[in-house]
Amino acid sequence: MPSERLSVVVTRRLPDAVERRMQELFDVTLREDDSPMSRSELTQAVQQADILVPTLTDRIDSTLIAQAGDRLKLIANYGAGVDHIDVQTARQHGILVSNTPGVAADDTADMAMALILGVTRRIPEGLAIMQSGDWQGWSPTALLGGRVAGRRLGILGLGRIGQAVARRASAFGMQIHYHNRRRLRPEIEEELEATYWESLDQMVARMDVISINCPHTPSTFHLMNARRLKLMKPDAVIVNTSRGEVIDENALTRMLRAGEIAGAGLDVYENGTDVNPRLRELNNVVLLPHMGSATVEGRLEMGEKVILNIKTFDDGHRPPDQVVPAML
């Protein structure tokens, strides 16, 4: 056993059970409120801690890492995505990075399916009518949406979350198509009854629904740019529960306003909380505040993974969820 407990700094409030367990195991500094740390607070944290536990709201870039003290040896991210962390620079400074993969796949896939149904069946419009008290009763032509069964779903990124989306959509009778950097093994395609498209352009042009489930990397930034969005069918919809930067939000907004795309369901945004105000004005768009992984069970499991990564590192071993640049 180490003679001294590790100094751990947590940048945001975590579930009580996770924080209590960390207090039992480590010399932990917890956040008193749930506001993101300022840049100066992050700088102080990396200079004083052995372990930093950030979240996706923290920008751990090369400048911040360069200011880290000699003590900092592990960035144990609370979350699967690490596009907010400069993993390459951390590695160059001898700092390991870990994450929490596989925890939120089902939760995020549930939300992707909810967005697909919300947009195609016009659920927010129905809620608005009920909340305003304007409902005049049932009508044969009121709030007509579209049936999801039989529609082609194009999944951009058939990883853990994408496959979970495919299973749910298949149960609703949707046809599964996908585009990946690499084609999946035949047995996975067979299980999911999924059709692979080597050309993203060709897939996008033929789908009724597009689901974004790939990570944000330099190669996926604006992967759904204006040119590619224009390939979509006018009656198609797009949902995104991954990262907002994958879609050119301004181009998407213009096309939705012009009726060139039928609808969109978004849980993430290109500029974080700074959502394009014109999106809020559209009744063919479902906007959620990044709720994809927001379940009690998921948040607790994420905390357990963070603790396991830290404990394994403290015991002198490689964290089980270590992230290396080659994985990105």
Side-chain angles (χ1 to χ4, degrees):
M1 294 291 292
S3 58
E4 296 183 5
R5 299 206 304 177
L6 287 174
S7 170
V8 177
V9 174
V10 181
T11 67
R12 296 292 297 267
R13 288 301 307 273
L14 302 181
D16 289 343
V18 175
E19 291 186 344
R20 288 196 301 271
R21 184 58 177 154
M22 284 186 168
Q23 288 176 314
E24 293 171 358
L25 296 171
F26 315 119
D27 179 12
V28 62
T29 301
L30 299 173
R31 191 77 171 145
E32 293 185 0
D33 58 53
D34 197 35
S35 62
M37 278 189 170
S38 66
R39 188 70 174 184
S40 61
E41 288 175 317
L42 279 173
T43 301
Q44 184 178 8
V46 299
Q47 289 175 345
Q48 298 179 353
D50 299 311
I51 314 289
L52 181 72
V53 180
T55 71
L56 61 86
T57 58
D58 303 304
R59 187 181 174 202
I60 315 298
D61 57 18
S62 59
T63 302
L64 184 72
I65 293 171
Q67 299 178 71
D70 294 336
R71 293 180 59 180
L72 186 65
K73 296 301 180 185
L74 174 64
I75 299 172
N77 188 56
Y78 183 82
V82 292
D83 50 297
H84 58 295
I85 302 173
D86 189 330
V87 178
Q88 181 68 47
T89 299
R91 186 179 181 87
Q92 292 171 354
H93 283 74
I95 302 169
L96 303 182
V97 177
S98 64
N99 65 344
T100 62
V103 170
D106 284 330
D107 299 329
T108 305
D110 287 346
M111 193 61 74
M113 201 66 219
L115 286 172
I116 292 171
L117 293 170
V119 176
T120 57
R121 294 301 305 272
R122 302 173 64 178
I123 292 174
E125 294 175 72
L127 286 171
I129 290 173
M130 296 303 294
Q131 290 170 348
S132 67
D134 293 335
W135 187 46
Q136 302 299 315
W138 181 86
S139 166
T141 59
L143 292 171
L144 297 180
R147 180 182 295 165
V148 296
R151 291 197 181 195
R152 287 184 164 193
L153 171 63
I155 299 175
L156 179 47
L158 202 65
R160 288 189 184 97
I161 297 174
Q163 291 178 35
V165 172
R167 293 186 181 94
R168 285 156 176 75
S170 180
F172 277 82
M174 302 187 78
Q175 301 174 30
I176 309 302
H177 301 256
Y178 79 99
H179 171 81
N180 260 10
R181 287 185 300 173
R182 301 179 186 86
R183 185 170 184 172
L184 297 178
R185 299 192 306 273
E187 57 267 28
I188 298 177
E189 288 187 351
E190 183 177 355
E191 176 203 346
L192 299 174
E193 298 183 355
T195 300
Y196 174 68
W197 292 79
E198 184 175 359
S199 168
L200 177 58
D201 286 359
Q202 291 185 19
M203 184 184 82
V204 165
R206 291 164 173 81
M207 296 299 112
D208 301 303
V209 181
I210 301 291
S211 178
I212 307 297
N213 300 107
C214 62
H216 171 225
T217 67
S219 62
T220 63
F221 177 77
H222 280 192
L223 191 59
M224 292 300 295
N225 54 24
R227 180 193 67 79
R228 198 161 271 139
L229 288 168
K230 287 183 180 296
L231 297 175
M232 292 179 61
K233 300 191 299 183
D235 60 351
V237 303
I238 186 169
V239 300
N240 188 6
T241 55
S242 177
R243 287 291 185 264
E245 295 90 342
V246 179
I247 301 178
D248 183 337
E249 193 170 291
N250 286 330
L252 175 64
T253 303
R254 289 194 302 268
M255 295 183 67
L256 287 165
R257 289 170 64 89
E260 297 172 334
I261 297 176
L266 306 175
D267 189 43
V268 289
Y269 307 93
E270 184 173 348
N271 298 303
T273 58
D274 185 16
V275 181
N276 190 321
R278 293 177 298 170
L279 276 175
R280 304 180 195 274
E281 303 168 0
L282 301 173
N283 60 12
N284 59 340
V285 178
V286 180
L287 303 178
L288 295 177
H290 204 158
M291 296 168 58
S293 63
T295 66
V296 173
E297 297 86 352
R299 293 287 191 257
L300 290 174
E301 289 175 16
M302 288 165 63
E304 291 169 1
K305 274 186 171 284
V306 168
I307 291 170
L308 178 60
N309 282 317
I310 297 174
K311 277 293 295 175
T312 304
F313 172 80
D314 193 24
D315 290 339
H317 304 291
R318 180 180 183 271
D321 298 310
Q322 182 177 344
V323 178
V324 296
M327 299 167 58
L328 305 178

